[in-house]
Amino acid sequence: MRLVLIGPPGVGKGTQAKMLAEKYEIPQISTGDILREAVAEGSCLGEKAKKYMDNGELVPDALVLELIEETVTQDQHDDGFILDGFPRTIPQAEGLDCILDRHDLALDEVVVLDLDESVIVDRLSSRRSCIDCGAIYNLKTNPPSEKGVCDKCGGELIQRDDDKPETIHNRIEIYKNQTEPLIDYYSGKGVLSRLDGSGSINEVQERIREDLES
Ligand code: AP5
């Protein structure tokens, strides 16, 4: 299965992608996670990406496409992948089509999750992530058993730099202007499903699985 998950910041793409990856045993590819790792390592890619990410802006298409081509063509992705947070612009979607064409591959499904802006802001303001394994928590809806400590690996839980209120609003605006046009793009290709991202984590997961299995 080659699946793309699209949706505004905080809708739950990362949370749902991790659950789907476990259920269907296919890897999650999160451009956000890869870029944050590059920033933490201080790599050349990380240095270029940092200033955009800190402001909640998109990293330039050329950089992200290079990263995706390197990643999706690795052997461990032969049986499929879940793209989380990519593509985010029309040029990225066109670039992905070219990469897949070159390797004789195609997308099976693009799932868009929708959510009210007020819920998005609330979810992001109370998100915490594990610095070691990337597990995602929420202080209100999905808290860890012990404050500040990851249930899965014991790592430290941190708040992302781009989860500050002013950056959250910028990210939502950028989603509307640059990413929402992908809804028409993929609808035109007949691979799009638009699903409600509200409700509990398990309810949203069930909705996505029903859609994929129908
Ligand atoms: P990225 O990491 O992709 O951020 P994003 O798209 O803004 O999405 P988030 O990770 O913030 O949210 P999510 O939808 O994954 O929600 P989550 O599951 O965590 O990108 C970060 C930055 O990197 C970008 O701004 C950009 O600079 C750069 N970048 C990345 N990809 C790029 C690309 N392709 N091109 C250019 N630049 C790129 O959930 C959020 C919270 O809600 C958590 O606390 C979770 O526990 C909770 N939650 C989830 N689901 C539910 C639920 N159903 N009910 C209650 N709580 C829930």
Side-chain angles (χ1 to χ4, degrees), residues 7-17 28 30-33 35-36 49-50 52-61 64 67-68 84-89 92 113 115 119-120 122-129 136-142 160 162-163 167 171 174-175 197-205:
V11 74
K13 301 180 295 294
T15 302
Q16 298 299 332
Q28 168 202 18
S30 157
T31 41
D33 286 349
L35 289 167
R36 274 185 292 279
K50 188 175 182 329
Y52 300 99
M53 297 176 77
D54 283 349
N55 293 325
E57 286 162 14
L58 294 183
V59 173
D61 292 334
V64 182
L67 169 77
I68 281 292
D84 154 19
F86 176 92
R88 267 177 141 98
T89 63
Q92 288 185 15
L113 293 174
L115 193 63
V119 186
I120 290 174
D122 197 41
R123 283 190 188 174
L124 288 179
S125 314
S126 42
R127 171 169 56 189
R128 297 292 181 276
S129 318
I136 304 166
Y137 296 87
N138 192 284
L139 298 182
K140 293 182 183 166
T141 58
N142 178 29
R160 267 170 48 177
D162 58 353
D163 280 348
T167 319
R171 286 160 63 200
I174 287 175
Y175 175 77
S198 69
S200 71
I201 290 174
N202 287 338
E203 281 167 349
V204 178
Q205 178 71 190

